[in-house]
Amino acid sequence: MTLAKVENAFRSLKSELGLRPIHHQKTNRVIAHLFISVLAYHLLSAIEFELAKGGDKRQWKTIREVLLSHQRSTIIFTDNKEQIHHIRTSSIPEPEQKTIYEALNIKDKLKRKHRVIGTL
C-alpha cells in the first residue's frame, strides 16, 4: 500500500507539478532538483494527511483540480494624473475550495492590495 502511494505521488510530481527528468551537469543542481522534488512530495503528502484527518480522502490530483480555479490577479494601469497603480486581488473561493482551506486552517490573508508605484 505504501509503495503504491509513493509511486502515485512521484507520478503526480512528474506530471502535475511539471517535474521532468532534467540532465543537470553540476552536482549542486542535481541536489537542488532532488531537494525541490522531495519538498514538493512532503507538501502534497501533508495536505492529503491534514484533509484525511477531517475525513476528506481526496488525492492531490483532485485537490489540485478543485483549487485550480481560485486565482490571484494583478492589475496595473495608469490614471489621468499619470500615476501607475498596482492592484492585487483574489477571486472569491467557491464553497468546496473554502472547505479545503478551512480543513487546512488557511485563512484568507490575501486581501485586495492597492498601491501607487510611481509615475510615468
Side-chain angles (χ1 to χ4, degrees):
M1 184 70 167
T2 304
L3 178 61
K5 185 171 181 166
V6 170
E7 287 173 346
N8 282 338
F10 276 97
R11 190 175 307 111
S12 176
L13 284 172
K14 286 191 251 178
S15 61
E16 295 171 20
L17 297 178
L19 297 175
R20 300 279 185 243
I22 297 175
H23 306 286
H24 296 290
Q25 303 298 318
K26 297 185 178 184
T27 304
N28 61 342
R29 291 182 183 167
V30 172
I31 292 168
H33 185 89
L34 184 59
F35 174 76
I36 290 171
S37 299
V38 172
L39 185 63
Y41 169 74
H42 280 291
L43 182 60
L44 73 87
S45 182
I47 289 170
E48 288 178 345
F49 178 77
E50 285 299 315
L51 290 175
K53 285 193 323 189
D56 189 337
K57 303 292 185 187
R58 287 181 279 197
Q59 293 182 341
W60 172 247
K61 182 178 180 179
T62 309
I63 297 164
R64 183 178 179 271
E65 286 174 8
V66 170
L67 296 177
L68 199 57
S69 63
H70 189 206
Q71 300 191 4
R72 186 121 171 106
S73 301
T74 302
I75 304 158
I76 301 173
F77 66 94
T78 313
D79 65 12
N80 56 359
K81 296 177 185 175
E82 295 191 352
Q83 292 181 318
I84 303 168
H85 296 262
H86 185 269
I87 298 174
R88 296 273 295 157
T89 188
S90 297
S91 62
I92 298 170
E94 297 172 9
E96 193 173 9
Q97 293 166 335
K98 281 185 179 180
T99 302
I100 292 172
Y101 294 146
E102 288 168 2
L104 296 173
N105 199 26
I106 296 173
K107 307 286 188 262
D108 184 15
K109 295 182 180 176
L110 298 175
K111 302 292 181 191
R112 181 179 173 162
K113 295 180 182 179
H114 179 192
R115 296 183 307 147
V116 176
I117 59 173
T119 57
L120 289 178

